[in-house]
Amino acid sequence: MTRESGSPDELIRFVAAPDGSVVADLKRELPGRGCWVKADRSLVDRAVAKKLFARALKSDVKAADDLGANVDRLLAAQLMQMMNMARKAGQFISGSSKVDAAVRSGAALAVFHATDAADDGVRKIDQARKAWHLGMETEEEIPSYRFFSESEMEGLMGQNAFIHAAVLAGQAGEGVVKRAKMLEQYRVGGQSRAAGGAGRQKQ
């Protein structure tokens, strides 16, 4: 719709709700005509401002001014739900020492830090990521994401909130990584960095 191309995993589907509003169909299950926008907050905001949804959906729909922010909340909630599923499956661990060990053993698919995590703790795990990358001569370091503050996670995840965490191999763990990439892409304009400070929310 915004003339931006991307693979299916980089696109978000939108549909017209019965009340005439525009909603994001993250699971791609809602009925009716849909349109696709690259997972990029600026493109969604632009589509709202230019009233592109009505044209693309061929319907007199109204996209809320805060649609871009709402999509961010939905993507974040989806990621946290998958983190909880991965934890139950034994594919999501927290605690700096456990994360460090998972990174150094190569068991970690990705690591996560609270945005307000202490720099020293993040730096130690970054050193482990670099050591694994150099020691195993991998193409890239294990990705690292920072999306939520500790208090934000406590509000959404309760006792499962973390300062440092790692996701391990498995279907649920891979689901976490997939959703983390989508949220990061959405927040940083498609320029995926997967570095220590990646994924901070646009204000």
Side-chain angles (χ1 to χ4, degrees):
M1 183 180 72
T2 53
R3 298 180 181 177
E4 295 282 341
S5 61
S7 70
D9 287 342
E10 297 174 331
L11 300 173
I12 297 174
R13 183 175 187 259
F14 291 86
V15 299
D19 63 0
S21 64
V22 176
V23 297
D25 178 20
L26 297 185
K27 294 184 178 180
R28 305 174 184 181
E29 296 174 345
L30 297 178
R33 175 187 292 274
C35 63
W36 300 82
V37 180
K38 189 173 181 180
D40 181 333
R41 169 74 179 271
S42 65
L43 295 180
V44 174
D45 288 341
R46 189 174 80 188
V48 171
K50 294 189 175 184
K51 298 179 170 55
L52 299 180
F53 285 105
R55 185 189 312 167
L57 294 171
K58 300 187 187 314
S59 177
D60 186 21
V61 295
K62 173 79 167 108
D65 292 339
D66 64 348
L67 180 62
N70 187 49
V71 171
D72 185 283
R73 288 191 292 270
L74 291 172
L75 288 170
Q78 190 181 62
L79 171 59
M80 288 193 173
Q81 289 170 3
M82 186 55 69
M83 285 179 173
N84 284 331
M85 288 180 61
R87 187 186 295 275
K88 292 177 182 177
Q91 297 165 19
F92 192 88
I93 58 173
S94 57
S96 59
S97 60
K98 291 181 180 179
V99 173
D100 186 274
V103 170
R104 292 184 184 279
S105 70
L109 297 181
V111 300
F112 295 83
H113 305 288
T115 55
D116 48 354
D119 290 341
D120 185 55
V122 174
R123 184 167 54 251
K124 288 178 180 178
I125 293 173
D126 282 348
Q127 289 171 347
R129 290 168 55 230
K130 188 174 292 294
W132 170 257
H133 169 57
L134 295 176
M136 299 303 294
E137 298 182 349
T138 56
E139 290 185 11
E140 298 177 353
E141 292 182 11
I142 296 168
S144 174
Y145 300 96
R146 299 180 78 170
F147 292 121
F148 317 108
S149 68
E150 183 181 11
S151 62
E152 286 173 333
M153 286 187 285
E154 287 177 348
L156 293 167
M157 303 177 73
Q159 63 182 9
N160 287 336
F162 59 84
I163 302 296
H164 308 285
V167 60
L168 310 179
Q171 186 174 0
E174 290 167 1
V176 171
V177 175
K178 179 179 178 180
R179 285 160 180 77
K181 288 180 178 178
M182 176 72 86
L183 179 57
E184 183 196 45
Q185 177 181 317
Y186 186 75
R187 289 185 172 181
V188 302
Q191 302 301 313
S192 179
R193 293 172 291 158
R200 293 173 186 260
Q201 185 170 4
K202 182 186 295 184
Q203 301 297 319

